[in-house]
Amino acid sequence: MRDLGVGFGYLLRGQRWVVRHGKSFGFGLLPGLITLVLYAAALVALGVYGEGFVTWATPFADDWSSPWAGLFRGFLTAVLFALALLLAVLTFTAVTLLVGQPFYESLSERVDRDVSPDGTAPESGLPLWRELWISARDSLRIIARALVWGVLLFGLGFVPFVGQTVVPVLGFFVTGFFLTEELVAVALQRREIDLRARLALLRSRKTLVWGFGTPLGLAFLVPFVAVFLMPGAVAGATLMARDLLGEEIREGDADDAADEDTGTESAPEGASGERSATS
């Protein structure tokens, strides 16, 4: 359970990092804004035409007596919109990272250099088109896994009591896991760690992953919040990736400058022994 707090700490530290590096934060907002506009347009279109689509798709209900046809189609319309929202949350990170690949690669490298004891960052050495292809391919594979979980949880949602209590909680943990995978992929892909190895690495520290991704997934449900949190989420995921791989994190640059002014160390409680504070 200790890792839950550590994971949440990385999420906060990532946000602090981008606030202290305003230029990186500004550039990191652009992909999220572009993706938000596209998703908002798609959801508005679904809201306008969703009922008509459901009516077209259920001609067998035309002869049903009132009010059953209306209730049935209204239920399906609500389910369709709910699934669209779930899909939007699950895929927003993947699409934003794909749109902003050069921005987030650069941001992640800056974080690595900032906290690395020797001031260096791993580089993949791959051309941009190759990195985009790998990112898109892996994102589709992750989305497919997330959709399987989404369908399973949707079906369990009809189970009395369990569907109204346990299933929503499980849904947020599943969402948090896949969000984290997409975010740490930016740093781990530069280290030539493939999808299967990334998933194994994340499963070995599930509570750390949930501590980072679950509150982030909850925050992403609030309109516009995802756009402003994405740069910091990438920065925090880079710090967490270093922890997962046992790489040292130079605390003096990763945490608040105020701690340096007071001469105190700011390593968060629960941090692993691989980290060290420097003055």
Side-chain angles (χ1 to χ4, degrees):
M1 297 300 290
R2 186 183 186 184
D3 264 355
L4 281 173
V6 178
F8 185 65
Y10 282 129
L11 180 60
L12 296 180
R13 291 169 67 187
Q15 302 303 322
R16 290 203 300 266
W17 192 93
V18 294
V19 168
R20 288 165 44 216
H21 298 77
K23 188 176 180 181
S24 295
F25 180 65
F27 279 119
L29 290 178
L30 294 177
L33 289 171
I34 294 170
T35 308
L36 180 65
V37 170
L38 295 175
Y39 273 60
L43 290 173
V44 168
L46 183 62
V48 173
Y49 300 107
E51 185 176 357
F53 172 77
V54 169
T55 301
W56 170 81
T58 56
F60 56 85
D62 289 343
D63 298 328
W64 290 9
S65 60
S66 180
W68 302 115
L71 290 174
F72 175 69
R73 285 169 171 165
F75 171 74
L76 288 183
T77 301
V79 168
L80 179 64
F81 197 79
L83 286 175
L85 283 175
L86 176 62
L87 184 62
V89 172
L90 291 174
T91 62
F92 182 88
T93 301
V95 175
T96 303
L97 290 173
L98 187 61
V99 171
Q101 180 81 8
F103 296 97
Y104 295 132
E105 282 283 350
S106 176
L107 190 155
S108 180
E109 285 185 21
R110 284 197 64 190
V111 175
D112 265 325
R113 290 194 183 95
D114 194 35
V115 302
S116 175
D118 58 5
T120 63
E123 296 181 5
S124 67
L126 298 174
L128 178 59
W129 72 266
R130 179 66 177 168
E131 290 183 348
L132 289 172
W133 163 249
I134 294 173
S135 179
R137 181 197 64 193
D138 289 350
S139 293
L140 287 175
R141 292 163 67 184
I142 287 296
I143 290 171
R145 285 175 167 85
L147 286 176
V148 170
W149 274 97
V151 171
L152 176 61
L153 292 173
F154 177 73
L156 291 175
F158 291 100
V159 178
F161 182 72
V162 174
Q164 292 74 47
T165 54
V166 178
V167 171
V169 175
L170 287 176
F172 285 120
F173 278 101
V174 169
T175 300
F177 182 89
F178 287 119
L179 280 177
T180 303
E181 195 290 325
E182 290 286 354
L183 290 163
V184 298
V186 178
L188 295 182
Q189 188 174 305
R190 283 191 290 107
R191 292 162 168 83
E192 299 183 358
I193 300 176
D194 62 20
L195 177 60
R196 182 173 298 182
R198 292 200 301 266
L199 290 173
L201 190 63
L202 293 176
R203 291 187 189 112
S204 70
R205 300 280 297 278
K206 289 191 189 75
T207 51
L208 177 71
V209 173
W210 289 334
F212 182 90
T214 302
L216 184 64
L218 288 168
F220 275 17
L221 293 175
V222 182
F224 304 109
V225 168
V227 174
F228 294 99
L229 292 185
M230 271 297 293
V234 172
T238 302
L239 295 173
M240 191 172 71
R242 296 184 67 91
D243 186 350
L244 287 167
L245 296 173
E247 296 177 1
E248 189 175 1
I249 298 177
R250 187 173 57 166
E251 295 293 345
D253 293 322
D255 291 318
D256 291 333
D259 292 331
E260 293 181 341
D261 294 337
T262 59
T264 60
E265 295 179 349
S266 57
E269 229 178 296
S272 62
E274 290 101 20
R275 299 183 218 131
S276 65
T278 62
S279 55

